[in-house]
Amino acid sequence: MASHLRVALFGAGRMGKRHGRTIALECPKATLVAICGPDLAAAEALASELGVPLATPDPATIFDDSSVDAVVIAASTSAHAQLIIEAARSSKEIFCEKPVTSDLVTTKEAIAAVDQAGVRLQVGFQRRFDKGCVAAKERIERQEIGRVEMIRDTMRDPSPPPPEYLPTSGGLFRDMSIHNFDNVRWMAGDEPEQVFAFGANLVDPIFEAAGDIDSSVVSIRFRGGGLALIDNSRRSGFGYDVRTEIFGSEGALFVGYSRETPILHFSDRGVTSDHVHWFLERFDDAFVKEIQSFVASIQNDTEPSVAGRDGHVAMAMAVAAEASIREAKPVDIDRFLV
Amino acid sequence: MASHLRVALFGAGRMGKRHGRTIALECPKATLVAICGPDLAAAEALASELGVPLATPDPATIFDDSSVDAVVIAASTSAHAQLIIEAARSSKEIFCEKPVTSDLVTTKEAIAAVDQAGVRLQVGFQRRFDKGCVAAKERIERQEIGRVEMIRDTMRDPSPPPPEYLPTSGGLFRDMSIHNFDNVRWMAGDEPEQVFAFGANLVDPIFEAAGDIDSSVVSIRFRGGGLALIDNSRRSGFGYDVRTEIFGSEGALFVGYSRETPILHFSDRGVTSDHVHWFLERFDDAFVKEIQSFVASIQNDTEPSVAGRDGHVAMAMAVAAEASIREAKPVDIDRFLV
Amino acid sequence: MASHLRVALFGAGRMGKRHGRTIALECPKATLVAICGPDLAAAEALASELGVPLATPDPATIFDDSSVDAVVIAASTSAHAQLIIEAARSSKEIFCEKPVTSDLVTTKEAIAAVDQAGVRLQVGFQRRFDKGCVAAKERIERQEIGRVEMIRDTMRDPSPPPPEYLPTSGGLFRDMSIHNFDNVRWMAGDEPEQVFAFGANLVDPIFEAAGDIDSSVVSIRFRGGGLALIDNSRRSGFGYDVRTEIFGSEGALFVGYSRETPILHFSDRGVTSDHVHWFLERFDDAFVKEIQSFVASIQNDTEPSVAGRDGHVAMAMAVAAEASIREAKPVDIDRFLV
Amino acid sequence: MASHLRVALFGAGRMGKRHGRTIALECPKATLVAICGPDLAAAEALASELGVPLATPDPATIFDDSSVDAVVIAASTSAHAQLIIEAARSSKEIFCEKPVTSDLVTTKEAIAAVDQAGVRLQVGFQRRFDKGCVAAKERIERQEIGRVEMIRDTMRDPSPPPPEYLPTSGGLFRDMSIHNFDNVRWMAGDEPEQVFAFGANLVDPIFEAAGDIDSSVVSIRFRGGGLALIDNSRRSGFGYDVRTEIFGSEGALFVGYSRETPILHFSDRGVTSDHVHWFLERFDDAFVKEIQSFVASIQNDTEPSVAGRDGHVAMAMAVAAEASIREAKPVDIDRFLV
């Protein structure tokens, strides 16, 4: 591997911009050489901002260029599978935003292509790089709370996404809870066995209209007997809420608070702190670190920190949660992992 | 009703002492006139401490004494049903520790006896009188968080009870989670429709040996569509953990922290606060207030704040949670409320 | 000493009521036998509420009654000196609200009378009985933070007292800061050597009109070299603010937060907790415990926890702070302790 | 002004590295073109790390190069005055680490040279760019707490600096408290009138040996009547402690907590959070922003956010505090500002 990495980016939307800036500005040993997206104007604008020489709507331009070492896929979810497969075939290292693809069949195909090509695939579960989550995981591994027994994992957005986002989102479990599925599995250090879910439409009629739910509570049983609870909502009524509590045989760890600035305001209405409003702000550092880690894993020839398998299992948990609601019973994860 | 209330106490154990002291020392308009329990030495010791003239092992002594206006039942759960029924028949007002009885059949019989006699029955769900919970309920009713959509309710004891307690405990759901069942129903302001539970044995082999579980996660769906999550453990590895988070359409309320004293200790190991170690300490005020409220409801001729029906529904939720584990599926509460 | 203590109360105002209720309701081994105050109606009302047989405007009635073992003085500060001296002469044990008297001359006279009579005098510095302060002191004595080096002590009332209170208050330092003076001396475990003060009139013109200040910052140097900072204000603009930070050679302790209920409210305005609004609420437990401690010290024949000397030194610190402002320089405490 | 700024750096120590990295990596519109320092090896190492073409021990190389637009001075304090004066004479824009110089005479000379040359001088009070402090200042200006009446400002290092640092440090007030002096003046929005200080040697004999103190409490009175308290220590016994409390007529703002990661650890020893250990970590963002602000002020032709005057007044406050200790009385700031 050349000591300096040449990276191409797919997607110039919200996450494309985030990852593009990281590669261009915060990875000294990598260069962003091309931005590819169906919205050429957006790709060109980002390329101009970041001093990237090439913007193109045509993925083949990237795949045919043997000087491109790696790709970062932040395109729409429906495009992931095809991009991963082609990137693998042209021997590019791959970072792909979560979810790997929108369903289990294509996820398996994509991972198979990656395995066959012998390239890396890192999945964009950025909580794996969050300062708080990483510190919790390290403390668990140092046995600070004994054996992990129970996990409570919460995530709620400040307000619903725009209606036009819903049809391509994949639904609450594949789009949002998938972060929690990966997180509880990571914190548990165990594989999930069974999942049960209740879903509800409480937030906005647009979700029901799209055949989706907007609120959910999910119970998970791990192979080793541990338990987890996940609750999600598309609207908090306050800021961005993402917290994890891990209970062990000898203590517990709580990860996450919601303050944006370290300020308390004392008034006749009480004592008030602010809260973080948006995931890009909450996970700003983690988004940078996951890309830096991807670049480092290539340059140091190590395994990526979050593998295709992790994306696969999280998707199976999401699909199992959907089945649990449909069938009104707990569902084995293995049914979706064969 | 005489303006001054004459109260008899059943039970001189942990909760008997707690309630006895409240009646004797913190209810100016009530007098503790007798303590009854099978362990006569314990009853006599408590009577001596509190200056109570009578200690007896014989319930009939109490029921036959027409000068006794009310009874507080803090005997072992297995004795509750018979004591309630006899107290009702002798027209005594009744406060009974949770659970009302150990099963649904006797719960219904006891409540029927109470209804027939036209006396009061208040159930010992002390969280209904906790400063924090009461403030949360009032804020919900003042619409401070809009419509209640989701509730997370946690309770874990610092360490397991003594093994000899288990056979009479009724099991995790009837003994411990029953507080959470009542609490989420109260906070939701709605009736539960369906319950799903995972149980686990993670804490101590004594639970499995007693045919019980020691850890559980429970999902609840309310009639109005709201959701709740309850997690319990017989051992926290730290102090007594009891917290509730209520999420509404316009915000959220978190009730409960675990500090005992308002002290932060800064050292090279970090910043440390202490935590509450025991439920008697955490709910000290609430235990006093629930008895004072019982006394006041009699003297003011009002309904008790926590009715027999509340005890009945919470027990049905516990029984449904047990059925959910046994049948490995979500269970309708109504099945146990006919 | 008779095992059961007969106590008389002077004063039926705010603190008179507080202490009267403690003696009558929360000291099983003491009986409140008389209430004495110039406002006979107030004394009678409190006597009636608490079932006390005697209310009188005449102190001699109390002092001439040899069956009275102890007195609790919660009269106006200007009456303290005379009441202490007469109580001592008639061999009553004495609890006196802070300050001992309104000036150093009468404080010395009162303490001399107490010493000559060989009775106890406990001064009402209730922070000495506050759960948080007591825990901090114990941790300091257990060497948890090493040698005490610096103390920051803050107290501010939610809003100014009524204007009619000011002429008799003794001024900010003798009325309010005196609590801080005692507290920093107690926490330091050392004697104060020098004090410097800045005063200001920022809150309300009524203070300047009364020849008083409403805001102050005070620096103190202890004999052992340690330092303390005290800041006071007659109006916080929020709730009742009383907090102490003790910095040692190996760490620090922070005592005090201002939450009334353990509730956090999450809304689009941020995360809000409430705060304690009033000292009677903040120190409710401490007020009970100081009286119980006084009763116990008599019954167990031990020294009172807060001695006349403590009241004397705190008053000398207040007088020295006043001199510091007047003379615009740091002032030796010893100048006022001869 | 050229749209792209060419910047030279003086100093390759702790702060030189920090500022060098900011210019080289986080200021897209500026280029770091030279690093100058007496320790050539250090300058060369940093130049190599950052891809800077020139490292030199000779300041004249920088001042004689008319293509250099601006200088960032992070040299030892004793070199500041000469570097500022020469930079001003060669018409470079200037960012200088605090303090401007080590005494008032040279501070005035340096500022005079800057004024005469008509260049910018920004002083390195990084708290002016801290997220928390900035938010507090904005809230004060939005009148969220009414009129500012009192400020408590604390700063203590985790552990003493190396002994060899002391002779050149300028002493506690000029080296450390100077940050607090600037901060309380900024938050007060008023000019300081009088200062009183107690100093102490409690931490380590090295300070006394160097003729310095290691602990101090300082009281400040502002022209408008407001008050401030500052406490400093060279050793906390825990982490890096920097907090500000601003009390206004209608409420208060508390800025700063000490957590590094958003983790709470619950164990049988209590609930523990970590704390920030070092100022480079605590103010990492602020150090970046102050340099970015300096660059922007040049490119947008605006005044720098922290002016030479700010450095001058803060130094006068430090010198006045020293005089207060020496003369054992409160001291007028104006005496040192003529």
Side-chain angles (χ1 to χ4, degrees), chain A residues 25 131-132 135-136 139 144-145 250-257 259-267 274 282, chain D residues 25 131-132 135-136 139 144-145 250-257 259-268 274 282:
Chain A
L25 304 174
K131 203 172 186 177
R139 281 158 170 254
E144 290 192 17
I145 59 167
E250 292 163 29
L253 290 165
F254 288 14
V255 187
Y257 44 67
R259 284 194 197 174
E260 184 178 358
T261 50
I263 284 201
L264 290 178
H265 180 200
F266 290 68
S267 74
D274 60 10
R282 169 67 180 81
Chain D
L25 305 173
K131 203 174 187 177
R139 282 159 169 252
E144 290 192 17
I145 59 167
E250 292 162 30
L253 291 165
F254 287 15
V255 187
Y257 43 68
R259 287 193 194 174
E260 186 178 357
T261 50
I263 284 200
L264 290 177
H265 179 202
F266 290 68
S267 74
D268 54 11
D274 60 10
R282 169 65 180 82

Side-chain angles (χ1 to χ4, degrees), chain C residues 83-150:
Chain C
L83 290 171
I84 293 172
I85 290 167
E86 290 186 29
R89 286 183 185 154
S90 46
S91 297
K92 317 287 186 219
E93 309 283 353
I94 304 161
F95 177 97
C96 184
E97 256 308 307
K98 63 93 216 170
V100 177
T101 80
S102 54
D103 61 78
L104 277 169
V105 173
T106 55
T107 293
K108 277 187 270 191
E109 286 172 7
I111 291 175
V114 163
D115 288 348
Q116 197 173 348
V119 294
R120 278 169 190 80
L121 169 61
Q122 181 175 329
V123 182
F125 290 134
Q126 85 282 353
R127 287 170 75 168
R128 299 260 191 150
F129 297 90
D130 176 61
K131 203 173 187 176
C133 294
V134 168
K137 180 68 179 173
E138 289 171 356
R139 282 160 169 252
I140 290 168
E141 290 180 342
R142 285 202 303 268
Q143 295 293 320
E144 290 193 16
I145 59 167
R147 182 171 70 134
V148 172
E149 294 176 351
M150 215 182 286

Side-chain angles (χ1 to χ4, degrees), chain C residues 262-278:
Chain C
I263 284 199
L264 290 178
H265 181 201
F266 289 68
S267 73
D268 54 11
R269 291 182 305 280
V271 184
T272 303
S273 57
D274 60 10
H275 43 56
V276 170
H277 279 278
W278 195 221

Side-chain angles (χ1 to χ4, degrees), chain B residues 25 131-132 135-136 139 144-145 250-257 259-268 274 282, chain C residues 25 131-132 135-136 139 144-145 250-257 259-267 274 282:
Chain B
L25 304 174
K131 204 173 185 176
R139 282 159 170 255
E144 290 192 16
I145 58 167
E250 292 163 28
L253 290 164
F254 287 15
V255 187
Y257 44 68
R259 287 193 193 175
E260 185 179 356
T261 51
I263 285 200
L264 290 178
H265 181 201
F266 290 69
S267 74
D268 55 10
D274 60 8
R282 169 66 180 82
Chain C
L25 305 174
K131 203 173 187 176
R139 282 160 169 252
E144 290 193 16
I145 59 167
E250 292 163 29
L253 290 165
F254 288 14
V255 187
Y257 45 67
R259 285 193 195 175
E260 186 178 357
T261 51
I263 284 199
L264 290 178
H265 181 201
F266 289 68
S267 73
D274 60 10
R282 170 66 180 80

Side-chain angles (χ1 to χ4, degrees), chain A residues 1-20:
Chain A
M1 170 56 50
S3 71
H4 200 87
L5 208 67
R6 294 171 54 84
V7 183
L9 170 70
F10 289 94
R14 198 165 62 187
M15 290 311 301
K17 283 175 189 153
R18 172 65 272 189
H19 292 319

